[in-house]
Every structure is written in structure tokens, then in C-alpha cells.
């Protein structure tokens, strides 16, 4: 490291932060990633991600990891089924074998792939950024929960929905979209829940009616993840008098919300393994922008949190990370690099966030599934 090498900190080891770190290191730029999780395996990473050619996959190519990705990805996961509440199939799409597209990968596998590509000790686990103190020369002193502080020339906020870097750049806070997902799942579905496995198929199945949806997605190793999606107050469980830890009480409330749906669909709510997790969906205002501030920037959900109705959040985070890293590696002046990155990022993010907001508005309407049918026919004709 030369005396002029900028000290770069990435806050957050999600898909965006790790892609940025990988592309920086591939271009010979040193970086440290600070991550809240105590270790790589500290918590389950959640469901499956669809990665598009021009976002997540493009970033993986720049990271030199596309081949490994292709070995782990599930192209058959692109299969889509749209049903109504009577379980009638309205639309079905299966990708042609070998066709390029948007294969799925489990979040945990993607994280592992990116982590394994970094030089040892790049990620400092168990480091929660509490706050940043401007030092007046474009540098910032980062203060972590364990009391440790460190000064950096550039701090990249890749710290997701409740970013601690974002408030240094913008007053915007994520707002509840009015839509909640209640997550549950099935283990070893083909053997233990064959009816559910048949209904869902090899990719994803969405049944919609009257502003509600049951969305089931295949993960690897026979897992199926289910989201019961509906419009409700953020306090719907409290108002219904149930605690999320009381699985049977939550199940009863969900069965009541989906009353009248076909029994094959209700089985998704009746027969799941484990409990239910509440996932209210939040989004940043669109467009979310900020005035360029030397020494700080954002990527991924920290910059453009949007509802997951365009299937692009992680892919965009990875593309952001790739573009920021390549800009930093290619410019002599890191501040100019960040300006160039932000000039491309902000309009792209606004366009994607608008698309995602439209997807949300069209999917859970009183006349559902008509909006989704229109959308799927236009996209997958
Ligand atoms: C139900 C659902 C389905 C989705 N499906 C898709 C899909 O198919 N395709 C797709 O592209 N996207 C999808 N998304 C969106 C995607 O999950 C996110 O957009 C993506 O994870 C954002 O990545 P990120 O790196 O910006 O942030 P994150 O993945 O949120 O990572 C942020 C990291 O920062 C850490 N962190 C947070 N605060 C701090 C702090 N103060 N200090 C240190 N570390 C911190 C966190 O622990 C975390 O590891 C989906 C989202 C949902 C909710």
C-alpha cells in the first residue's frame, strides 16, 4: 500500500458490499468490510434470488465469478406459474433448456461465493457501525458498537434498509408500503409435501385474488419458501391480538384472511414446517437522491430500497458495487470516481424503484390477478 492509497471502508457484507470489495481487490485496491453479523454463519441468509443478465450477472462477470455462479445457479427456477384463488392456472412459463436468462441462487450460496473470493480477513465480523464523525477534510471517523473507532478516506454505506451511513447524506427514511409478507417454509418438499411441491413446480408460483397473494418459491435442497402477501396496517398482528411466536394463532388469522381460497392453496398455510415471520415491506421515497459529499457514498438497499416486485434489488446492489469499484480503480482521484458513480447510479435507481413501485401497485389490487397476468404476458410472451 502506498501513502496515497485511499483507506476505504465498506459497511455491510450483503451482496452489494461484497461485490464491491471483490471487484476492488481484483483491481488491486485494498478495502475492509465491516459487518454486523458475528460470523458468516451467524444467521440464515433467507430465500432465493433471481439474478438478471444486465445487473447481478454482469457484476459477477466483472468479479470473475460467473462460472462458479453458473455451477450453483438453478435455471429451472425461472419457471413461473400464476394462479387465481381457485387454483386455476392462468399463466405458465418454463425457460427453454440452456436459454440465458435469470437463474435463481440461494442467498446463502451467493454470500459464500463472494466471501470465498476475498482475501482472508477482509471482513471484520461483529462490527456494527454506530455513527460517523466528519473530520473536515473529506475523511470520517467510524465509530463501532464495540467502542473501536477508525478513520477512512471513503466510507461506502452498503448497510441495507436501516443504513447508518444514509443519514449523513439524506433525510429520507424507509416508509411502510402498506404491504406485508408473512414468511414460512417447507423442508424437503418433494418427499414430505408432494402436493405442495407439485403445485409450486420447479420455480415460483403465485396465486392472487382481491389484494392478496400466496407466493411460493423453490430454494435449493428441496426447500420451498412461502410468502402470504396482503395489504394491512403495519400492526396487523397486534390488532388481531396475536404474537408472531404463536404459530397456531398466526395460522388461524392467515386462514381467516384467505378464507374461500381453494384447499390446495390453503394447504400452503396449514402444512408448513416451522413458524411464521412477519416481513412488512418498506421503501425509500422515489427518487431518492443526495448531494455529493466527499468521503461518503451509498449502494444497494441503503441507496434505493424498493419493494421486491421487480426481482432486482440484489442484482442492482451488485451492479452498484461493481461500478463503484471499477470507478475507484480507474480514477486517480477517488472523489471524482464517486461523483461519476453517483451520476450513473441515481437515475438508474430511480427508474428501477419506479418499476418496482408499479409492480407492487399492479400485483395486489382488488381485481388481482389481472395486473400480474398483463405484466407476465408482456414480459414473458
Ligand atoms: C421477499 C424478498 C424477495 C427478494 N427477491 C429478490 C430477487 O429475486 N432478486 C433480487 O435481485 N433481489 C431480491 N430482493 C431484494 C434483495 O434482497 C435486496 O435488494 C438485497 O439484499 C440488497 O442487498 P444489499 O447488499 O444492498 O443489502 P443487504 O442484503 O440488506 O445487506 C446489508 C448488510 O449490512 C449489514 N449491516 C446493516 N447495518 C449495519 C451496520 N450499521 N454496521 C455493519 N453492518 C451492517 C447487514 O447485517 C447485512 O449483512 C428480495 C427482497 C425480499 C424482501
Amino acid at each position: 500500500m502506498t501513502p496515497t492509497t485511499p483507506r476505504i471502508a465498506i459497511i455491510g457484507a450483503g451482496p452489494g458490499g461484497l461485490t464491491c470489495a471483490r471487484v476492488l481487490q481484483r483491481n488491486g485496491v485494498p478495502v475492509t468490510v465491516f459487518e454486523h453479523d458475528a460470523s458468516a454463519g451467524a444467521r440464515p441468509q433467507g430465500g432465493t434470488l433471481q439474478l438478471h443478465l444486465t445487473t447481478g450477472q454482469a457484476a459477477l462477470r466483472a468479479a470473475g465469478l460467473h462460472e462458479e455462479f453458473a455451477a450453483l445457479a438453478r435455471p429451472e427456477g425461472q419457471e413461473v406459474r400464476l394462479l387465481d384463488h381457485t387454483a386455476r392456472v392462468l399463466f405458465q412459463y418454463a425457460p427453454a433448456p440452456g436459454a440465458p436468462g435469470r437463474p435463481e441462487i440461494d442467498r446463502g450460496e451467493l454470500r459464500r461465493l463472494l466471501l470465498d473470493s476475498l482475501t482472508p480477513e477482509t471482513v471484520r465480523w461483529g462490527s456494527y457501525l454506530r455513527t460517523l464523525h466528519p473530520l473536515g477534510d473529506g475523511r470520517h471517523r467510524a465509530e463501532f458498537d464495540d467502542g473501536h473507532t477508525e478513520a477512512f478516506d471513503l466510507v461506502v454505506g452498503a448497510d441495507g434498509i436501516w443504513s447508518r451511513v444514509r443519514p449523513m447524506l439524506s433525510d429520507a427514511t424507509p416508509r411502510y408500503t402498506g404491504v406485508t409478507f408473512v414468511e414460512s417454509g417447507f423442508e424437503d418438499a418433494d418427499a414430505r409435501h408432494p402436493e405442495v411441491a407439485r403445485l409450486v413446480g420447479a420455480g415460483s408460483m403465485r396465486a392472487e385474488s382481491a389484494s392478496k397473494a400466496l407466493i411460493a418459491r423453490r430454494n435449493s435442497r428441496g426447500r420451498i419458501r412461502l410468502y402470504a402477501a396482503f395489504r394491512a396496517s403495519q400492526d396487523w398482528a397486534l390488532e388481531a391480538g396475536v404474537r408472531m411466536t404463536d404459530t397456531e394463532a398466526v395460522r388461524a388469522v392467515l386462514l381467516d384472511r384467505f378464507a374461500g381460497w381453494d384447499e390446495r392453496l390453503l394447504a400452503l398455510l396449514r402444512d408448513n414446517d416451522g413458524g411464521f415471520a412477519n416481513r412488512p415491506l418498506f421503501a425509500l421515497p422515489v427518487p431518492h437522491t443526495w448531494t455529493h459529499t466527499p468521503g461518503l457514498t451509498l449502494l444497494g438497499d441503503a441507496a434505493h430500497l424498493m419493494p421486491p416486485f421487480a426481482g432486482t434489488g440484489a442484482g442492482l446492489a451488485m451492479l452498484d458495487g461493481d461500478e463503484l469499484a471499477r470507478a475507484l480503480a480507474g480514477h486517480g482521484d477517488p472523489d471524482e470516481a464517486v461523483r461519476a458513480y453517483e451520476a450513473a447510479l441515481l437515475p438508474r435507481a430511480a427508474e428501477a424503484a419506479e418499476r418496482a413501485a408499479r409492480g407492487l401497485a399492479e400485483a395486489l389490487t382488488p381485481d388481482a390477478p389481472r395486473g400480474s397476468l398483463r405484466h407476465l404476458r408482456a414480459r414473458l410472451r
Side-chain angles (χ1 to χ4, degrees):
M1 183 162 134
T2 69
T4 55
T5 304
R7 297 202 68 218
I8 301 174
I10 295 174
I11 311 299
L18 291 176
T19 304
C20 188
R22 161 68 180 173
V23 178
L24 281 171
Q25 289 186 345
R26 218 174 166 226
N27 286 279
V29 181
V31 61
T32 308
V33 179
F34 295 89
E35 167 56 45
H36 183 201
D37 290 348
S39 67
R43 66 179 163 98
Q45 287 300 301
T48 176
L49 291 171
Q50 185 179 74
L51 293 187
H52 298 207
L53 272 174
T54 53
T55 56
Q57 290 189 59
L60 285 166
R61 279 186 209 284
L65 297 172
H66 195 271
E67 254 177 51
E68 285 100 319
F69 162 74
L72 293 168
R74 287 173 284 109
E76 69 281 8
Q78 295 172 84
E79 189 180 300
V80 174
R81 292 175 185 180
L82 179 67
L83 282 63
D84 65 12
H85 69 291
T86 68
R88 187 163 56 110
V89 178
L90 304 176
F91 182 89
Q92 190 155 6
Y93 164 83
R102 307 163 167 186
E104 303 253 338
I105 184 167
D106 282 15
R107 260 166 208 279
E109 288 184 341
L110 179 65
R111 198 190 213 195
R112 172 57 51 210
L113 172 66
L114 289 163
L115 282 172
D116 286 351
S117 74
L118 299 175
T119 55
E121 314 301 326
T122 301
V123 180
R124 302 242 195 108
W125 299 100
S127 300
Y128 182 76
L129 177 77
R130 190 187 297 163
T131 190
L132 290 164
H133 304 280
L135 296 174
D137 52 0
R139 294 187 316 135
H140 290 80
R141 180 170 296 282
E143 185 183 326
F144 296 90
D145 244 13
D146 59 5
H148 142 250
T149 70
E150 211 169 326
F152 294 97
D153 299 296
L154 175 63
V155 178
V156 178
D159 46 348
I161 175 168
W162 303 117
S163 170
R164 301 301 294 234
V165 182
R166 189 195 301 123
M168 302 292 292
L169 292 169
S170 121
D171 291 333
T173 50
R175 287 188 212 130
Y176 177 54
T177 59
V179 171
T180 287
F181 278 15
V182 179
E183 183 181 328
S184 60
F186 298 84
E187 300 296 324
D188 195 10
D190 295 290
R192 298 184 55 240
H193 304 280
E195 299 289 326
V196 167
R198 263 197 297 281
L199 186 74
V200 174
S204 65
M205 184 236 53
R206 214 154 78 199
E208 290 184 14
S209 177
S211 309
K212 293 188 285 269
L214 291 174
I215 304 165
R217 288 175 85 175
R218 281 266 177 185
N219 290 214
S220 63
R221 297 187 196 88
R223 283 200 199 105
I224 290 177
R225 204 165 284 258
L226 175 75
Y227 303 99
F230 47 85
R231 294 189 182 273
S233 130
Q234 203 185 327
D235 295 327
W236 68 271
L238 197 69
E239 287 163 7
V242 294
R243 275 172 304 152
M244 290 310 297
T245 46
D246 187 344
T247 299
E248 291 316 314
V250 175
R251 192 190 317 283
V253 172
L254 292 176
L255 285 169
D256 188 46
R257 271 190 183 265
F258 286 82
W261 285 44
D262 188 272
E263 277 305 316
R264 284 164 290 177
L265 294 167
L266 294 181
L268 293 166
L269 299 172
R270 280 207 177 97
D271 300 340
N272 58 300
D273 299 313
F276 295 97
N278 197 25
R279 308 249 185 257
L281 300 183
F282 288 81
L284 278 166
V286 183
H288 175 235
T289 60
W290 61 89
T291 306
H292 173 75
T293 304
L296 296 175
T297 195
L298 301 174
L299 63 76
D301 279 6
H304 45 67
L305 176 71
M306 59 189 82
F309 277 80
T312 51
L316 283 173
M318 294 166 74
L319 184 66
D320 297 350
D322 161 36
E323 288 194 349
L324 174 60
R326 282 189 293 125
L328 287 165
H331 274 73
D333 177 353
D335 193 51
E336 283 306 312
V338 173
R339 275 182 196 279
Y341 156 74
E342 289 173 346
L345 163 82
L346 293 175
R348 175 175 72 223
E351 203 186 306
E354 257 166 43
R355 240 187 358 261
R358 253 196 328 271
L360 175 76
E362 280 179 8
L364 293 170
T365 50
D367 67 351
R370 282 174 68 181
S372 292
L373 188 57
R374 233 182 0 255
H375 172 76
L376 283 172
R377 281 188 177 144
R379 184 163 76 79
L380 296 171
R381 197 178 359 226

